[in-house]
Amino acid sequence: MDIRDLGEDDLDAVLDNRKRAFGPLSAGDAAMWRKMVTPLVAQGRYLGVVDGARLVATARINPYTQWWHGRPQPMGGVAGVTVAPEDRGRGVGRLVMGAALNRCADLGNAVSVLYPATTPIYRSMGWEHAGTRSIATLPTELLRTVAPGEPVKLRRMGPGDAGELVALIGRLHAASRASGPLCYEAETWRVWLADDDDFCYLADDGYVIYRWSGGDIEVDNLVAASEATARALWGLVGTSSSVAQRVTATIAPDDPILWLLRERSKDVVASTRWMFRLVDAADAIARRGYSPAVTASVPLELTDPARPANSGAWLLEVAAGSGALSPGRGGGPALTINGLSALYAGVPAATLRMSGGLTGPAEFDDTLDAVFAAKPYLLDYF
């Protein structure tokens, strides 16, 4: 079997594999899929395993920007991972995921995220459970109780606003010191913003994208940097309460809407887990943001069988909101790449010790928790 970059001529075979892995797409969804992935093919972001002329497995690396404690970095979003049913159990999945991991590095992505259909294969390659995508169900009538604040100017948003939206998202996540959320490239946003079924509104310091779904309202993204704009955007969604009974909304773990509602006795929130991996450990540490209140120096031992350059003795140093990972002498806590990836995303040291991702001296555990404190989330599914 061979691994190669896929071209546009392979997309029919890719779509067939996708159908066999995840079920059929409607004609409209298949057309949208082609529109979204064709540029990625030209960028070397679609990989395939072939057996002669037959396509056996695929993996796609989406180009995203992801924020960690308010600091952006390029992230490889691994998606479209398929293995033909007749070839499962032959190690083909590990083969294509190893190629995807190396391609993330080639593309300059020091970190990677994926939504797993199954955990074991991805965990065996170094990805680990890190954060959530949470969808809250809210009675639409409750949104009408969100009292307006200062007047906020809202306007409809379309494909021509893609560049402005990308810049706004960057400002919003930096200001809130967010960990986990991503942003598409402007070209992708232009495609999404052209969808007539989505209602998109823009303010100077926030935006919302929502749609009708089965008689109810579905909010994809609603992010704001001020109380007044948060009230205005949620109030806009709430104007549909005379027709829609429920709103399902993708929210941050501590989203302001949960505190703006007049009545909140029980949260109805469904969460989907996503997995995270450091591709280049030193680069990922340098690109992350940290609390300027934390200063630390911790020796670490790291093991990464799939990316040996990450393995070895390191010294972690954090000061003034920045971090560095440089070659060290060892003698400190020992982490698997899964453990360090989870720690980077705010999973507590105590949890990692009890699940095998962290061993060795415990004297630095509180320091590591302070360095990497985070509650990561995603608003988007890919």
Side-chain angles (χ1 to χ4, degrees):
M1 293 189 184
D2 298 309
I3 299 173
R4 65 173 175 84
D5 288 359
L6 298 178
E8 287 190 51
D9 291 345
D10 295 304
L11 290 183
D12 285 341
V14 173
L15 193 58
D16 180 71
N17 265 28
R18 189 195 185 287
K19 177 175 65 177
R20 295 173 190 273
F22 304 121
L25 290 174
S26 67
D29 287 343
M32 175 63 80
W33 175 85
R34 285 181 182 273
K35 190 171 185 178
M36 297 298 295
V37 305
T38 297
L40 304 185
V41 169
Q43 298 169 16
R45 292 180 172 275
Y46 228 133
L47 299 171
V49 177
V50 294
D51 187 357
R54 188 171 61 89
L55 182 64
V56 173
T58 66
R60 185 176 74 248
I61 303 161
N62 295 322
Y64 297 131
T65 298
Q66 187 178 37
W67 280 260
W68 285 97
H69 198 80
R71 187 171 294 174
Q73 64 170 300
M75 180 269 279
V78 178
V81 180
T82 68
V83 176
E86 63 270 30
D87 292 291
R88 292 171 186 165
R90 300 175 60 192
V92 181
R94 285 185 59 84
L95 188 63
V96 75
M97 285 306 300
L101 176 59
N102 290 331
R103 184 57 56 86
C104 280
D106 294 341
L107 293 166
N109 301 136
V111 298
S112 174
V113 169
L114 58 81
Y115 282 97
T118 180
T119 295
I121 182 173
Y122 301 121
R123 179 171 281 154
S124 73
M125 297 297 293
W127 278 267
E128 192 49 83
H129 289 286
T132 60
R133 176 176 181 256
S134 299
I135 299 179
T137 300
L138 307 168
T140 315
E141 183 62 32
L142 271 185
L143 296 182
R144 296 191 66 180
T145 69
V146 177
E150 299 175 5
V152 174
K153 183 179 179 181
L154 304 178
R155 66 176 178 84
R156 295 182 182 183
M157 181 167 49
D161 297 301
E164 182 178 348
L165 178 60
V166 169
L168 172 63
I169 289 172
R171 294 196 302 272
L172 294 173
H173 293 325
S176 66
R177 300 181 299 282
S179 289
L182 62 82
C183 184
Y184 305 104
E185 294 182 323
E187 181 181 355
T188 302
W189 271 119
R190 277 189 283 273
V191 175
W192 291 128
L193 293 173
D195 190 335
D196 290 337
D197 292 332
D198 287 349
F199 305 107
C200 312
Y201 288 86
L202 189 65
D204 288 341
D205 65 341
Y207 73 100
V208 64
I209 299 173
Y210 70 97
R211 67 181 64 86
W212 287 94
S213 177
D216 291 323
I217 297 294
E218 183 179 286
V219 177
D220 263 356
N221 278 211
L222 193 158
V223 186
S226 66
E227 178 187 354
T229 297
R231 289 181 179 277
L233 293 174
W234 282 111
L236 175 70
V237 175
T239 60
S240 300
S241 63
S242 61
V243 179
Q245 293 186 345
R246 300 184 309 166
V247 171
T248 57
T250 308
I251 61 171
D254 296 320
D255 200 284
I257 186 57
L258 300 177
W259 280 264
L260 289 172
L261 295 174
R262 185 175 65 188
E263 176 64 43
R264 181 191 174 194
S265 58
K266 181 179 180 181
D267 294 337
V268 180
V269 181
S271 295
T272 300
R273 304 289 313 181
W274 45 271
M275 301 182 79
F276 179 72
R277 193 196 203 281
L278 303 188
V279 178
D280 183 322
D283 200 15
I285 293 293
R287 289 175 169 179
R288 192 189 193 278
Y290 305 86
S291 169
V294 177
T295 300
S297 179
V298 182
L300 298 174
E301 297 274 357
L302 180 60
T303 304
D304 186 353
R307 296 282 299 173
N310 288 329
S311 297
W314 299 94
L315 178 65
L316 170 69
E317 296 176 290
V318 174
S322 295
L325 194 66
S326 56
R329 297 181 179 179
L335 291 134
T336 63
I337 189 61
N338 301 67
L340 183 58
S341 298
L343 182 68
Y344 186 102
V347 176
T351 299
L352 297 176
R353 285 195 177 277
M354 295 182 69
S355 56
L358 172 63
T359 57
E363 62 186 282
F364 295 104
D365 286 11
D366 285 343
T367 303
L368 291 172
D369 284 342
V371 166
F372 295 109
K375 193 179 287 187
Y377 64 95
L378 280 171
L379 299 175
D380 301 275
Y381 185 88
F382 57 87

